[in-house]
Amino acid sequence: MNEGIRLDTDFFQSTDVVSICKKLIGKVLVSIIDNHYTSGIIVEAEAYRAPEDKASHAYNNRRTARTEVMFQEGGHAYIYLCYGIHHLFNVVTAPAGIAHAVLIRALEPLDGLEIMMERRSLCKLETRITKGPGSLATALGLRTSMTGESLIQKKSKIYMEDRGIKYPSSDIIQTPRIGVGYAEECAHWPWRFYVKNNNYVSATKS
DNA sequence: AAGAGGATGAACT
DNA sequence: GTTCATCCTCTTG
């Protein structure tokens, strides 16, 4: 399992969540859940920038029991349930009080393939193992009950690291976000980044 | 107390 | 391309 350099608290404190989002492409997301080590390269992610972003759950600095963790300082996990079925994993960014977050939308799997296949009920390796935010959360064993967990502490069960993976900037594509059509003028903001020609990037609805 | 709807994915045709 | 599974959170009364 090829140790990399853990992303520390400084990485997540910038108020430029779009830049952080772009920098996360190529970083590795690791989880150690139920004693299983699993990881994958982040190949698709989206930035959410409250208070002005209508697509964010914390739009207009709305504070509820669910969104409260988004106001914590950068480096915490925000995991919530979507459509009653899917657990979606985000990293909170910016200093405390600023509710920015990055949604991880797709991974290229690295470690723990067997476990991930089992969690996804696959008998052979298919790209859909970690394609799409709900899929990757299932593959890594991430659940809404883990929302608020720190990714920074040494004992963290969820964290990110840099293993020196780099993509040419021409291979990092920037587009509008997926599934946020309700967000009016914010819907077309190009805050989604993904790796060109990567098979694990989720399909875009045309 | 009740109801609507959502940062989706899978299995269909 | 279409349908639908499925349930938590927030809003309203």
Side-chain angles (χ1 to χ4, degrees), chain A residues 57 66-67 78-90 103 133-134 137-138 142-147:
Chain A
H57 293 155
R66 182 175 64 159
T67 62
Y78 172 48
I79 307 175
Y80 81 98
L81 188 70
C82 186
Y83 293 99
I85 306 171
H86 306 291
H87 300 250
L88 270 54
F89 173 81
N90 305 248
L103 169 66
T138 301
L142 306 174
R143 302 183 287 275
T144 55
S145 59
M146 299 165 188
T147 199

Side-chain angles (χ1 to χ4, degrees), chain A residues 16-31:
Chain A
D16 186 350
V17 64
V18 179
S19 287
I20 293 179
C21 181
K22 185 173 184 179
K23 279 194 265 185
L24 282 175
I25 301 293
K27 297 297 188 289
V28 175
L29 176 62
V30 178
S31 78

Side-chain angles (χ1 to χ4, degrees), chain A residues 46-76:
Chain A
E46 291 177 356
Y48 286 81
R49 193 180 207 282
E52 65 269 30
D53 182 359
K54 292 183 181 174
S56 170
H57 293 155
Y59 168 59
N60 207 18
N61 282 336
R62 247 167 55 96
R63 296 182 97 113
T64 66
R66 182 175 64 159
T67 62
E68 195 60 36
V69 326
M70 298 181 79
F71 291 88
Q72 294 186 37
E73 67 169 3
H76 289 85

Side-chain angles (χ1 to χ4, degrees), chain A residues 1-6 27-33 36-42 89 107 110-111 119 140-142 150-151 156-163:
Chain A
M1 22 185 123
N2 193 17
E3 285 297 312
I5 299 166
R6 277 276 287 274
K27 297 297 188 289
V28 175
L29 176 62
V30 178
S31 78
I32 306 168
I33 310 290
H36 296 304
Y37 183 102
T38 50
S39 76
I41 307 165
I42 298 167
F89 173 81
L107 297 178
L110 285 179
D111 302 300
R119 284 172 176 155
L140 294 208
L142 306 174
S150 168
L151 312 198
S156 300
K157 299 298 188 197
I158 311 166
Y159 58 90
M160 293 175 170
E161 62 184 23
D162 187 343
R163 296 192 188 177

